[in-house]
Amino acid sequence: MTRPGTATATAHANIALIKYWGKADDRLILPRTSSLSLTLNELYATTTVRFLDDAHEGDADRATIDGVPVTERALARIVALLDLVRERAGIGAPAEITSLNTVPTAAGLASSASGFAALTGAAAAAAGLSLDPRELSRLARRGSGSASRSIFGGLAIWHAGTDDASSYAEPLGVSADGDDFAAQLAIVVLVLDAGQKAVSSREAMRRTVQTSPEYEPWVRRHADQLAEALDAVAHRDLARLGEVAEANALGMHATMRAATPPVDYLTDASHAALWAVRDARAAGVPAWATMDAGPNVKVLTRADQAEALAARLRERLAPSVPNLRTIVTHAGPALKVI
């Protein structure tokens, strides 16, 4: 039996440019659609996992995020992932998890992606497992689907697959000579509301898949949009990538609003931000919006124009969004385990 230990890992959040929305299998977290994302340098989680080899009978897993104890459903998700690690490693020890997160939690900024990717890397290492990136991606997926992509830096594609073995992410956009298209990209995050969402992503996803008449048409369009995005990446065409990413996100939110009851994450501030992005683009600035399950708007742009775009958007939105916070973030690295 492996002797349990301690390990720390850092994983970065990612923003899906072509979205994952809806599951084909809830238990394995197999998505209905493949997805394409950009891992972000400035938004990350650092997690330490310590398996308690001196545990007493009845001791249970415990976790804190930013010093706050994790309880109920959130803890159950962590325990479920740890159980997969323990089963694979042949250990039974409970674990102590501490995580520090630079991503606002549950505000539509992919905090679960960075959190579960870091948890996966730290738990596997602490349990003595030696897993390759694909295996880590598959394991992270069981905690949070988008975490499968945060195992990798830069651009990553998550293949929907049909079973546990075929549903994994891998890096994308690096040419044979080592040129990485992701290095040309940046995201300006417009934090309009960093509060807790009224409807969780999981509930919104379930409701959309089960009740929205717009969902299946979106899935059918999604295949063409993903193919367009992949071709844009292959040809280093930011404008094409931005256009299809914005269309994909707007379509996803339309499916939610058509659900019963409707799910509408976008606020007046969100719509003001979308208009500001369109105006910037009309003025010749490379800027395309995307939104996940929350009110905050993320703007894809060129890395060398990100700061100027952020300043422009702050100036435009300041009168209507007084509490606006902007984060300029560039392509981030892969999972790092200490």
Side-chain angles (χ1 to χ4, degrees), residues 59-136:
D59 283 354
D61 297 319
R62 54 184 184 266
T64 62
I65 298 178
D66 296 330
V68 178
V70 181
T71 60
E72 299 178 345
R73 180 173 174 80
L75 180 60
R77 290 177 66 188
I78 291 171
V79 171
L81 185 65
L82 290 172
D83 285 343
L84 293 173
V85 172
R86 280 187 284 250
E87 179 182 9
R88 187 159 181 167
I91 62 175
E96 181 180 75
I97 303 99
T98 57
S99 186
L100 299 176
N101 196 355
T102 69
V103 189
T105 301
L109 287 170
S111 59
S112 64
S114 54
F116 274 98
L119 175 64
T120 298
L129 296 175
S130 180
L131 303 182
D132 65 30
R134 181 176 296 187
E135 291 173 311
L136 287 168

Side-chain angles (χ1 to χ4, degrees), residues 142-296:
R142 299 290 296 275
S144 171
S146 56
S148 65
R149 302 185 304 246
S150 279
I151 299 298
F152 303 97
L155 291 162
I157 181 171
W158 174 18
H159 302 287
T162 57
D163 57 17
D164 179 58
S166 59
S167 186
Y168 59 87
E170 62 181 347
L172 186 74
V174 180
S175 64
D177 62 3
D179 175 60
D180 188 356
F181 182 46
Q184 301 178 29
L185 310 178
I187 296 282
V188 178
V189 182
L190 303 177
V191 185
L192 308 166
D193 183 351
Q196 196 86 0
K197 295 178 292 192
V199 181
S200 72
S201 300
R202 289 193 171 199
E203 167 58 20
M205 197 177 293
R206 182 202 62 79
R207 193 184 303 175
T208 301
V209 172
Q210 293 182 0
T211 70
S212 174
E214 297 300 321
Y215 181 70
E216 292 299 335
W218 178 76
V219 169
R220 290 192 292 271
R221 289 192 301 273
H222 186 285
D224 292 335
Q225 290 174 331
L226 178 60
E228 178 76 10
L230 294 177
D231 192 64
V233 170
H235 289 89
R236 304 313 200 237
D237 190 334
L238 173 57
R240 283 175 62 205
L241 178 61
E243 288 165 6
V244 71
E246 186 168 290
N248 183 260
L250 291 171
M252 185 184 77
H253 280 268
T255 71
M256 296 185 224
R257 289 192 294 272
T260 304
V263 178
D264 193 354
Y265 286 117
L266 304 186
T267 62
D268 289 345
S270 306
H271 290 290
L274 290 173
W275 279 112
V277 171
R278 290 171 188 141
D279 287 349
R281 191 162 67 238
V285 180
W288 296 270
T290 186
M291 302 82 63
D292 294 300
N296 302 301

